[in-house]
Amino acid sequence: MRRNRKKKSRARGLIFTVVLLLIVLYAGFLLRGKISFFFDKIIAGTITENGNDIINEDTPVDGNIDNNMDNDTGTGNDSNSDNPENNPGNQEQNNAGGKGNNISEDGKQPVENVDDILVIVNKKRYLESDYKPVDLVIPNVKFSFDGEHEKKYMRKEAAEALEEFFGQAYEEGIYIFALSGYRSYNTQKWLFENRASKIGEEEANKLIARPGESEHQTGLAMDITSQSVQFDLKEKFGETEEGKWVKDNAHKFGFIIRYTKDKEDITGYNYEPWHIRYVGKEAAREIYNKGIAFEEYFD
Ligand SMILES: [Zn+2]
């Protein structure tokens, strides 16, 4: 009798343990998505803190090193909806009319050839708030982050060139990652205002581009990074194996390092070894061979 009872209670204990184990496993299974989401957030947060672009919609970035240069011109442009996706992306709105007519007192003017592969956007030439390229696609390359995001996009021709460029890099064992491509006017506006509300417009302007003045709005630029700079945007990237490879090879695929060290006074921006801009092979080769700034290409 006693033995039987012992056996029974042992069996009960075993069943209890098994059931408990099953419950724990099931709960783990249910929470799986949330746990990995949680880790994604942590990773995203790390990257953001280092001062890059937005990793996802609800992680506003500030301190975009890159924006350091994509910046500066106050256009006073304010008319846009809150939803970046609503922008029609037409180019006609950019007054086809006379060039000189739109130059403001501070010497800034709206860009007219908005869809031109050779379009120049800088501190003097801004894009209107409703400009959005119509042919944005996601290039099939490795990104430094997961998930769907506006900044994965580039204009089709640039995206295809980027695929070839990255493809060649991978073949040669150079592991570069895309970090930030297209950025809408509204995103830029939001970034700028967010920072300005904390440190004031003047200071913000040193770090973040004013809306309309970021080359990223053209869909022709991409910031790239590598593990050697912790997937960040750092000047040090220029000295890494990846950065050097980019510098030596980008032009073969139609890209230029848009902001070089020796042309800061012409581009108006600090050196950014990570920011490449698609201009097509012909222009890229000439700019590379002559060692000139993009602005000088038109002189
Ligand atoms: Zn950039």
Side-chain angles (χ1 to χ4, degrees), residues 53 66-67 69-70 180 183 216 221-223 233 259 272 274-276:
D53 293 62
D66 177 21
N67 283 324
M69 45 170 14
D70 300 345
S180 189
R183 192 181 303 145
H216 285 276
M222 182 59 83
D223 295 330
L233 302 178
Y259 309 109
E272 284 195 7
W274 62 79
H275 178 110
I276 59 168

Side-chain angles (χ1 to χ4, degrees), residues 128-255:
E128 301 280 8
S129 60
D130 56 354
Y131 175 69
K132 178 184 179 182
V134 291
D135 56 351
L136 292 171
V137 298
I138 298 180
N140 184 22
V141 299
K142 288 185 198 296
F143 283 85
S144 62
F145 60 98
D146 289 324
E148 163 76 14
H149 197 284
E150 167 189 283
K151 66 183 186 170
K152 277 195 168 176
Y153 288 82
M154 280 188 106
R155 287 189 57 193
K156 193 164 184 292
E157 186 178 333
E160 285 167 2
L162 193 78
E163 287 171 1
E164 279 183 45
F165 181 40
F166 274 49
Q168 184 61 38
Y170 301 151
E171 253 176 51
E172 296 185 28
I174 301 293
Y175 295 101
I176 48 178
F177 296 78
L179 196 154
S180 189
Y182 170 69
R183 192 181 303 145
S184 71
Y185 183 96
N186 282 339
T187 299
Q188 194 69 36
K189 183 170 182 275
W190 187 84
L191 288 174
F192 180 77
E193 288 174 355
N194 189 268
R195 180 48 83 92
S197 70
K198 289 172 187 154
I199 58 172
E201 279 206 18
E202 203 178 314
E203 284 304 305
N205 213 355
K206 294 175 185 171
L207 303 166
I208 302 198
R210 286 184 182 273
E213 298 173 6
S214 171
E215 195 174 56
H216 285 276
Q217 196 185 336
T218 65
L220 296 169
M222 182 59 83
D223 295 330
I224 56 186
T225 187
S226 63
Q227 192 173 14
S228 53
V229 288
Q230 296 80 46
F231 303 106
D232 204 343
L233 302 178
K234 292 178 181 168
E235 198 174 311
K236 203 182 98 191
F237 177 69
E239 290 142 39
T240 63
E241 189 189 5
E242 294 85 3
K244 284 178 188 160
W245 190 90
V246 166
K247 182 173 176 277
D248 294 340
N249 293 280
H251 65 284
K252 298 172 191 167
F253 301 86
F255 291 94

